[in-house]
Amino acid sequence: MATSRISKRSIDALTCESGKDRTFLWDDALAGFGVGAFASGKKVYVAQYRQAGRSRRITIGEHGRLTPDEARREAKKLLGAIENGADPIAQRQASRAVPTFAECADAFMTQHGTAKLKPRTVAGYGALFRSHIGPAIGAMRITDIRRADVSKLHHSLLNTPGAANRTIAAISAIWNWTAGERDDLTLPPNPCKGIKRNPEEGRERFLSGEELARLGNALAEAEMTGLPYDIDDTRPTAKHAPKPENRRRKIDPFAIAAIRLLILTGARLNEIMTAKWDYIDFERGLMNLPTSKTGKKSIFLSAAALEVLSNLPRVEGNQYVLPGEGKKDVSTDKDGNRIAAPRADLKRPWAAVTDAAGLQGLRIHDLRHSFPSIGAGASLGLPIIGKLLGHSQPATTARYAHLDADPMRRAVDIIGNTISAAMNRNPSAEVLPIKRTTS
């Protein structure tokens, strides 16, 4: 067994003996510290020790990545820990058994997400993992992840504050699920705790009465006479196009009805697009959804909404209120048979209608915000508005509180008139209590 002071010079001179797969050089100053030279030319620092009557060897690191002095310091730590009863090989094996965050995320998605989360939520988590989470911390052992790692990731997404916040929420959800499901793991505290979320600018857009009128006129025009369209007169086929005064295109009644129902109900786009006729209770004025973003719920239908539904034709063999019209709107069942499907989207008709109404940039989801804004302005009360929208949390409806101005206006008038009468020594003046109204 060759011994010598392990140094750069002695390691450079060390080669694997012919006919062997490795040759070791042991340090003559620190017992158990050595370096092995392999037939491939690779050289590795090791520590040799005895534990429970067995001779064991553990790799410290590769020469080149560690200097002889750095390897010697690591060997002293390892051998000292072994003297105190530690088992570094068992510890290393246990560490390797700890799953990476990517493995935990995959388990979360397959065992929890598919069964208990909405498909849209699962898709969102998947996109966040592929784009942000995986490249940053996916390969790390979950027990090695610290708040500094997550904070660094959050900060790197500063230009997309919404995505940054959703990334933190996804990591936190995966972490908490793993902590609850894996009894064999002892996780440190959730690294997302204490990370301040980015402020996000609200994107709510409320349509004014004048804008609603313009949108209504555009819908009526699209339905009755068609919306005007332009063509490129320089194209060879332009000479066969209709005259400018005849260039109008009607929008199909189902798309018109979908937009009107979104305005009149405050429902989410997917709730209207996937509605089936058996959800509609005309007698009670309800659309009973078996599932939604917040679970099973009923959407209240006004007389105007019921009229829109009553005027819609039913397509034989298609149970959807808004039946699909093209190949992309036809799906297949588990046996491969083609089945009817709902309309896929409203992108083209929505773009045409908002352009005709002079409401470029208006999002379909803004119709959902406009519905409660009118209710708040009419002082219907936030609990009622929240019930109409199907909000599960009062805080979600609170964004419309600033629109409920009438109660404040009435209150300030009562207080102001009472004070004014008292200051003017009006003998009939009296302080009137403000009655509490329930909503």
Side-chain angles (χ1 to χ4, degrees):
M1 181 174 65
T3 60
S4 175
R5 173 73 177 182
I6 291 181
S7 63
K8 185 177 183 307
R9 177 179 295 180
S10 62
I11 294 174
D12 289 342
L14 179 66
T15 58
C16 182
E17 295 179 16
S18 178
K20 294 186 177 181
D21 62 347
R22 69 194 71 183
T23 297
F24 287 97
L25 173 67
W26 300 98
D27 192 69
D28 58 7
L30 179 60
F33 173 46
V35 60
F38 292 80
S40 63
K42 182 179 179 181
K43 298 176 182 179
V44 176
Y45 297 105
V46 297
Q48 184 91 16
Y49 62 96
R50 293 190 68 83
Q51 194 168 55
R54 296 173 56 193
S55 178
R56 312 191 75 180
R57 182 184 300 153
I58 186 170
T59 300
I60 298 172
E62 188 176 346
H63 176 60
R65 295 183 178 178
L66 291 176
T67 66
D69 289 341
E70 289 171 338
R72 189 186 304 278
R73 285 195 293 271
E74 288 299 317
K76 284 183 178 179
K77 291 180 185 177
L78 275 172
L79 295 169
I82 291 165
E83 286 292 325
N84 291 322
D87 186 348
I89 292 179
Q91 292 172 354
R92 187 169 293 182
Q93 289 173 341
S95 176
R96 287 173 180 169
V98 174
T100 63
F101 193 78
E103 292 169 335
C104 293
D106 183 63
F108 169 83
M109 297 291 272
T110 56
Q111 298 176 33
H112 175 74
T114 305
K116 299 183 180 180
L117 299 179
K118 301 290 183 184
R120 188 173 178 180
T121 303
V122 173
Y125 279 171
L128 289 170
F129 192 88
R130 289 189 298 272
S131 301
H132 309 305
I133 302 172
I137 62 173
M140 297 178 66
R141 304 286 174 188
I142 190 169
T143 53
D144 293 337
I145 297 172
R146 297 294 181 265
R147 191 169 72 174
D149 302 308
V150 180
S151 181
K152 181 180 179 181
L153 170 58
H154 188 247
H155 184 74
S156 70
L157 300 173
L158 196 60
N159 292 331
T160 52
N165 291 343
R166 289 189 293 275
T167 295
I168 298 303
I171 294 173
S172 184
I174 294 168
W175 190 281
N176 289 337
W177 179 84
T178 304
E181 290 292 318
R182 293 289 298 263
D183 294 335
D184 58 326
L185 284 178
T186 301
L187 298 184
N190 191 321
C192 299
K193 188 175 182 180
I195 295 179
K196 188 176 181 180
R197 305 302 194 261
N198 294 325
E200 298 182 50
E201 294 184 5
R203 298 182 63 190
E204 290 87 352
R205 165 87 180 273
F206 308 126
L207 287 173
S208 65
E210 188 269 337
E211 288 175 324
L212 282 170
R214 279 156 47 195
L215 185 58
N217 291 337
L219 287 170
E221 185 181 10
E223 187 175 28
M224 301 300 295
T225 62
L227 297 176
Y229 64 89
D230 296 322
I231 64 170
D232 185 357
D233 292 323
T234 63
R235 298 182 63 181
T237 56
K239 61 182 179 180
H240 302 296
K243 294 180 180 180
E245 61 270 20
N246 295 326
R247 293 174 186 170
R248 286 183 172 270
R249 181 180 294 115
K250 286 187 177 182
I251 294 178
D252 76 87
F254 294 106
I256 298 293
I259 295 172
R260 284 182 171 146
L261 288 171
L262 288 167
I263 298 171
L264 293 169
T265 63
R268 297 180 178 88
L269 176 62
N270 186 60
E271 294 169 347
I272 294 297
M273 297 294 281
T274 59
K276 297 179 181 180
W277 282 113
D278 59 7
Y279 296 172
I280 311 300
D281 184 341
F282 282 95
E283 185 176 347
R284 299 175 62 197
L286 296 173
M287 181 187 296
N288 298 307
L289 304 180
T291 184
S292 71
K293 184 178 180 180
T294 54
K296 183 179 179 180
K297 77 172 186 180
S298 295
I299 293 176
F300 294 85
L301 301 172
S302 64
L306 288 170
E307 183 180 2
V308 172
L309 289 166
S310 298
N311 291 331
L312 271 179
R314 301 197 184 194
V315 177
E316 186 177 355
N318 194 316
Q319 73 272 40
Y320 291 99
V321 174
L322 305 172
E325 57 179 355
K327 290 182 179 179
K328 64 181 179 179
D329 299 323
V330 177
S331 58
T332 57
D333 61 19
K334 61 181 180 179
D335 298 321
N337 301 315
R338 290 163 63 87
I339 57 174
R343 188 186 182 99
D345 61 61
L346 292 174
K347 292 179 182 178
R348 293 181 65 182
W350 177 251
V353 168
T354 51
D355 186 61
L359 296 171
Q360 294 85 350
L362 183 70
R363 303 173 305 153
I364 289 182
H365 196 66
D366 292 328
L367 300 179
R368 178 168 168 82
H369 294 311
S370 297
F371 178 84
S373 73
I374 295 171
S379 300
L380 298 181
L382 296 184
I384 294 296
I385 293 170
K387 182 70 174 177
L388 291 174
L389 291 176
H391 287 165
S392 59
Q393 299 295 329
T396 310
T397 317
R399 72 179 73 178
Y400 305 106
H402 67 286
L403 301 173
D404 190 5
D406 282 359
M408 299 303 174
R409 193 170 290 113
R410 291 197 301 271
V412 77
D413 284 345
I414 291 173
I415 295 171
N417 291 339
T418 302
I419 293 174
S420 178
M423 292 180 68
N424 292 328
R425 298 182 181 278
N426 187 334
S428 62
E430 60 177 333
V431 178
L432 299 176
I434 299 177
K435 294 182 179 180
R436 293 183 177 271
T437 58
T438 58
S439 56

